[in-house]
Each structure stands twice: as C-alpha cells, then as structure tokens.
Amino acid sequence: MYIYRPKRFYITVFATTWAFWLFAILFNDGLTNTLGMILGGLCPATVAIITVFTSKSDALKKDFKRKIFNFWKLKPFYIFAAVILFSAIVACSILLSTIFGESLGQFSFTKDFSFSGVGVMSAFATIFLAAVLEEVGWRGYGEDSIAQYHSWFKESIIFGFVWALWHLPLFWIPGTYHYEIRQMNVLYMLNFLISVVPMGFITTWVYVKNGRSMLASIIFHLFINFMQEKIAMTQNTKCVETLVVVVAATIIVLTNRDMFFEKRHVGHILE
C-alpha cells in the first residue's frame, strides 16, 4: 500500500516556490520578475507529478491519470451548482456592499486585469495556467495526502491554511494582484488570506463530489479566477464577499455532513 507523505510534499512545494518568488522579489527587473513568478507557480504541479511518477505505486499513478483524463466521469450537476453558487456569492456580496456605500455599478466587467508583468503571455493564458498548475499540484497529490489521514472537514481546514500561506510572497512581487492590494491597504491583504480558508471547503466539495476529479477542480478554479478578475468588485466588497463565502461554506458543510465528516476513506484514498 502506498504511504502518502504530506509533510515532505508541502515542505518541498513551499521551499521551491518561495525560493523562485524570493528571486523575483530581490531581482525585480521585468524579465527576471516574470521568470521567477512563472517558475514558482510551476512548483506545486511539478512536485506532484515527480512525487507520483517516481513512486513505485501503480495505483497512485493510475489514480492521477484518472483524475485528470476521465472527463466522461464528471458530474455536471455539481460543477454547474458550484458555478451558480459562486455567481450567487458575487451577486450577494455586491448587493450587501451597497449598505456600506458601494455602487451597483460593480455589476459590470472591468476593462483591464488587476495584474501586470505577464510578458508575452496574455492575461487569459495566465489565469488559465494558474488554475491548471495549482490544481494539478493540490488535487494531484496535496489534498489527498492530507485526506489519507483525516476527514474531509479537517482536511479542508488544514489545506485552507496551507493554501493561504503559500500565496504569501506574492504580496511583495510587483505586478501581481496580491502586490496591488497590499499597496492599497494591508487589511485587503489579510482579507485575501482569510477568504482562502472557507473557500477551501467549497473547492473540496467540488473535488470530492466529482469523484476526486482534478478536471472538475480546474474548471471551477478557472471560473473563480475569471469572476474575481473581471467583475468590477471593489476591495471593500471583497471583504464583504469573505463573509458571504463563510456562510456559503457553512451551508455546504451542513448539507453534506456525511461527505465532510465520514472517515471511510481514511487510509483507503486510492481504493
């Protein structure tokens, strides 16, 4: 039986990612900045792929391939429900933000993206690659490595904090969305980090309900990235959005108690 090693995986991912991103911070001269950002972003997927395919476990390799290529086993209902849910989160956040003086004009698309410095890569390609590379890393090995030892509820908490912490250096890399919001107000930076944790419950729900499908997670992650970039929400509204996400995540957990709290999969994730 294959033994998952979550500590080794996450330490390797953090060490490699943060090394490249530190490089981008220290040598901020355009091309170097972009190269460091890209190489850092590649690390979760790269470490996951190397971990899986250098293992001696045929079951682990087969499971990895199934999760990304067996698109016919996706459950469209849950993907559609997740898209509708996040759309509702955005809509409710904008409506609630009007209480605090924000405008209904946020129900529109922005002309530009919140980040720069992507070089020859288009902004859309950057958003797409970010979703793919993160999900191949997190769902390809990272999330299962925690779930092998814990319920999906506890896994979601642990992964949510890890996922938030992983983003930390981006707040000091010029040209990133994270850098821009830190420059505006450090509270917006804290809001982003906090929001990632409850969002972890929703992404776990999409992942597990689709038979632990990386492809489903990629689709949902891509949709979230697009909505967060192109809907004209202010940062104040995104603070409201964090509260709405907490409510949505709570509802997801309460209506899927068996999924989140069962331990039948513990020790048997590949089965």
Side-chain angles (χ1 to χ4, degrees):
M1 182 179 71
Y2 177 75
I3 299 175
Y4 279 95
R5 302 185 186 277
K7 290 182 180 179
R8 184 179 68 182
F9 172 77
Y10 283 108
I11 288 173
T12 305
V13 168
F14 270 67
T16 52
T17 301
W18 283 18
F20 284 121
W21 286 350
L22 179 61
F23 180 77
I25 294 170
L26 295 176
F27 301 97
N28 180 32
D29 61 355
L31 180 60
T32 303
N33 175 289
T34 302
L35 182 62
M37 286 171 55
I38 292 172
L39 292 176
L42 286 168
C43 289
T46 302
V47 174
I49 291 170
I50 291 174
T51 300
V52 170
F53 290 98
T54 58
S55 75
K56 297 180 180 179
S57 173
D58 290 335
L60 183 65
K61 297 173 187 177
K62 183 178 180 180
D63 188 59
F64 184 93
K65 294 174 184 176
R66 174 195 65 79
K67 290 192 293 183
I68 199 165
F69 293 121
N70 287 14
F71 61 87
W72 58 87
K73 290 189 176 181
L74 293 179
K75 296 181 179 179
F77 171 79
Y78 288 107
I79 298 176
F80 181 71
V83 167
I84 294 299
L85 173 65
F86 193 73
S87 299
I89 287 172
V90 170
C92 288
S93 300
I94 292 174
L95 290 173
L96 288 172
S97 75
T98 60
I99 298 173
F100 305 100
E102 299 295 333
S103 169
L104 286 176
Q106 294 173 97
F107 282 109
S108 62
F109 289 110
T110 61
K111 293 181 179 180
D112 300 310
F113 288 84
S114 63
F115 55 90
S116 60
V118 295
V120 297
M121 298 174 64
S122 71
F124 281 106
T126 302
I127 287 177
F128 176 77
L129 287 174
V132 172
L133 294 173
E134 281 197 49
E135 294 305 323
V136 169
W138 306 141
R139 253 51 76 171
Y141 188 89
E143 190 160 11
D144 288 350
S145 72
I146 301 174
Q148 175 74 350
Y149 305 103
H150 302 287
S151 69
W152 289 109
F153 180 81
K154 189 172 182 179
E155 182 279 329
S156 297
I157 295 174
I158 295 171
F159 175 72
F161 279 102
V162 170
W163 191 20
L165 185 61
W166 178 77
H167 289 88
L168 203 55
L170 290 173
F171 292 98
W172 282 269
I173 302 179
T176 65
Y177 164 78
H178 309 76
Y179 180 86
E180 296 302 324
I181 64 174
R182 185 179 67 85
Q183 292 292 97
M184 293 179 194
N185 192 322
V186 71
L187 293 178
Y188 297 152
M189 167 185 163
L190 293 175
N191 176 65
F192 175 89
L193 294 172
I194 292 169
S195 70
V196 171
V197 179
M199 184 57 68
F201 287 92
I202 300 176
T203 57
T204 294
W205 173 67
V206 174
Y207 175 62
V208 177
K209 285 297 185 178
N210 278 278
R212 295 172 39 252
S213 168
M214 274 190 275
L215 187 56
S217 297
I218 289 170
I219 293 170
F220 184 53
H221 195 152
L222 180 60
F223 180 74
I224 291 174
N225 285 356
F226 180 80
M227 291 288 283
Q228 293 294 86
E229 277 292 331
K230 295 305 294 178
I231 299 299
M233 286 191 294
T234 66
Q235 286 301 320
N236 288 334
T237 299
K238 288 189 177 182
C239 292
V240 175
E241 183 186 44
T242 297
L243 298 177
V244 179
V245 169
V246 170
V247 172
T250 301
I251 293 171
I252 289 292
V253 171
L254 292 177
T255 55
N256 293 271
R257 288 189 292 272
D258 182 64
M259 188 206 94
F260 278 101
F261 295 102
E262 60 83 14
K263 293 186 178 180
R264 296 182 297 272
H265 69 277
V266 174
H268 306 283
I269 201 78
L270 292 176
E271 299 173 18

